[in-house]
Amino acid sequence: MIEGLNFDYSLLIPEYVLGLVAAVLVGLDLAAPRFPKRLMPWIAAATLAGVFALSFAWLDTEDDFAGLIFIDDYTTFFRCFFTAIGFFVVVASAQFVQQRLRHPGEYYALLLVATAGAIYMAASRELLTAYISLEVLSFSSYILVSYAKSDNRSNEGGMKYMLLGAFSSAILLYGISFIYGTAGSTSYDAIAEAFSDGTSGFTAPTLLGLTLIVAGLGFKVAAVPFHMWTPDAYEGAPLPITAFLSATSKAAGFALLIRLFSSALMPVVDDWRFMVAAISAATMVAGNVIALQQHNIKRLLAYSSIGQVGYMLMGLVALSPEVTSALLLHMTGYIITNMAAFTAIIAYHNETGAEEMSDFRGASDRSPLLATVIAVALFSLAGMPLFAGFLTKFIFFQSVAEEGYLWLAGVAVVASVISLYYYLYVIREMYVSPATNTERFSVPLVMKAAVAVLTVGIFVVGLYPAPLYELTDGVASVLF
């Protein structure tokens, strides 16, 4: 054992559990053909719920594994965050996978492995560990996007996602090599120390390294102009995987960005802040304007999520403890809202096959519950009062403006107003446009429970955010 390094494997128990159950699910699928496939989603869901509860054992811990993985309240927050998302994606997948996909064991195993990769992205304190964690999530996502092998759109979306993902990984790795060349280390702490006296003498390679890292990670979170893969991957992926991409993939990217930029790259903030500000403004405008032209619900939510990425990038531009706390609050409200929208859309799709917005005409007659949940979620995404989206946006935009970026907050407000049009268009289709089919259908009890819990979450965050705000304040404080 190398002296001075802490190899405390007990710190990584939650991810061991995820990996072990993933291996068991694959084994059951391959070697036990008589095992009831319908039980697999509930094994995966129980595992994610168990890991969620187990994560609290590391509350108030500050320890590291060999200087590579840091376990603190920030990691614990995202352990709970990603396992909760995984739980709802698995629950929403159960009926969809049973009806449409083969090899459910591998499907749920990949979701568990991807969740472990996302957690390590938040926990990494070293560039190569962060890169490997990102690739664990990315490779699982490439396979899941193309999991519907008989669907040409799924194959096309997976291929585009993988090719552009490989290109962006190369860019990111090249950027890491420049930072290593100038700082002499890949450890976040060592990089921050190396840059603490400025970058005189190696300004150009540092700037090039920062540019390549911003471009590589910009692809991962689908920021403009690195967003090209998003609409095709969202449209081609099985619907629950579209939900997974819009939640875990983006949140994991920001979990990595926040820790990296608030520690290793904070001393050179003036070298990267202008780049992120420009990308943030372009992403907000492009995502919301292009969404106006979409007629497919998956593509609409893809461009909507691009617009949301633009808002979140403001948190990096105005990076401070207060802004980071507001960003984590906004991210939580957005993910709850997004999961509510997708879970309801998946339940509606399972019965009707709806994907085009015109397919949602008469949804309020066919399933009043699902139509209500979709409407609540879309109002929240648009930032209407009483819902989570209004309050989290208000706090987040205000905190960015108070840091001196009033112009950027102004762009975000205008982009939010634009988004209201396409969200209201979907609601109009469900409630006002003449229906072609008004035959009702029943929704499985588990899906009713899932959308009910998520809808309650939207109102709780929107009306009583104080406990969550205190939590994100505490989480943000460990970074600064």
Side-chain angles (χ1 to χ4, degrees), residues 205-294:
T206 303
L207 190 59
L208 182 57
L210 290 171
T211 304
L212 293 172
I213 286 179
V214 169
L217 292 177
F219 170 89
K220 298 300 179 184
V221 298
V224 173
F226 315 107
H227 66 290
M228 299 77 75
W229 60 274
T230 311
D232 290 332
Y234 272 48
E235 186 180 7
L239 199 43
I241 299 307
T242 308
F244 184 76
L245 290 177
S246 74
T248 294
S249 181
K250 285 189 168 46
F254 275 94
L256 192 160
L257 282 165
I258 292 169
R259 199 189 275 276
L260 174 64
F261 281 69
S262 66
S263 56
L265 302 181
M266 201 62 190
V268 286
V269 61
D270 292 335
D271 291 318
W272 54 259
R273 179 173 272 163
F274 70 94
M275 285 188 273
V276 180
I279 291 172
S280 172
T283 305
M284 285 188 278
V285 173
N288 285 297
V289 169
I290 299 174
L292 295 173
Q293 305 168 3
Q294 304 307 312

Side-chain angles (χ1 to χ4, degrees), residues 315-379:
L316 294 180
V317 177
L319 202 58
S320 72
E322 295 76 20
V323 173
T324 303
S325 172
L327 173 57
L328 294 177
L329 176 73
H330 176 64
M331 199 186 298
T332 306
Y334 168 68
I335 294 297
I336 293 173
T337 302
N338 212 32
M339 290 307 300
F342 267 109
T343 306
I345 290 170
I346 291 167
Y348 194 81
H349 176 83
N350 287 340
E351 301 297 332
T352 64
E355 273 196 23
E356 297 297 317
M357 284 198 275
S358 57
D359 297 336
F360 286 82
R361 288 174 184 168
S364 58
D365 294 323
R366 303 194 71 182
S367 178
L369 171 67
L370 296 180
T372 303
V373 173
I374 294 170
V376 166
L378 294 180
F379 277 132

Side-chain angles (χ1 to χ4, degrees), residues 124-127 130 186-192 256 259-260 263-264:
S124 297
R125 289 296 299 268
E126 192 267 341
L127 283 173
T186 53
S187 162
Y188 290 3
D189 292 338
I191 293 170
L256 192 160
R259 199 189 275 276
L260 174 64
S263 56

Side-chain angles (χ1 to χ4, degrees), residues 379-428:
F379 277 132
S380 181
L381 287 171
M384 300 295 282
L386 300 180
F387 306 104
F390 170 76
L391 192 127
T392 62
K393 276 185 180 177
F394 179 78
I395 294 174
F396 181 44
F397 292 1
Q398 187 183 38
S399 66
V400 171
E402 286 176 352
E403 290 295 323
Y405 292 91
L406 185 60
W407 70 271
L408 203 52
V411 174
V413 171
V414 172
S416 288
V417 173
I418 294 172
S419 73
L420 191 59
Y421 175 83
Y422 57 78
Y423 291 133
L424 286 177
Y425 184 83
V426 179
I427 295 170
R428 191 194 73 171

Side-chain angles (χ1 to χ4, degrees), residues 62-77:
E62 285 201 11
D63 206 348
D64 71 286
F65 179 83
L68 305 176
I69 302 288
F70 206 75
I71 306 301
D72 54 12
D73 284 351
Y74 186 76
T75 301
T76 302
F77 176 82

Side-chain angles (χ1 to χ4, degrees), residues 34 74 80-81 92 96 134 147 172 244 309 350 374 376 404 427 449 457 462 467:
R34 293 186 179 179
Y74 186 76
C80 296
F81 196 84
F96 184 96
L134 188 151
Y147 209 79
L172 177 61
F244 184 76
V309 166
N350 287 340
I374 294 170
V376 166
I427 295 170

Side-chain angles (χ1 to χ4, degrees), residues 189-210:
D189 292 338
I191 293 170
E193 189 178 346
F195 288 157
S196 60
D197 295 327
T199 57
S200 178
F202 45 88
T203 302
T206 303
L207 190 59
L208 182 57
L210 290 171

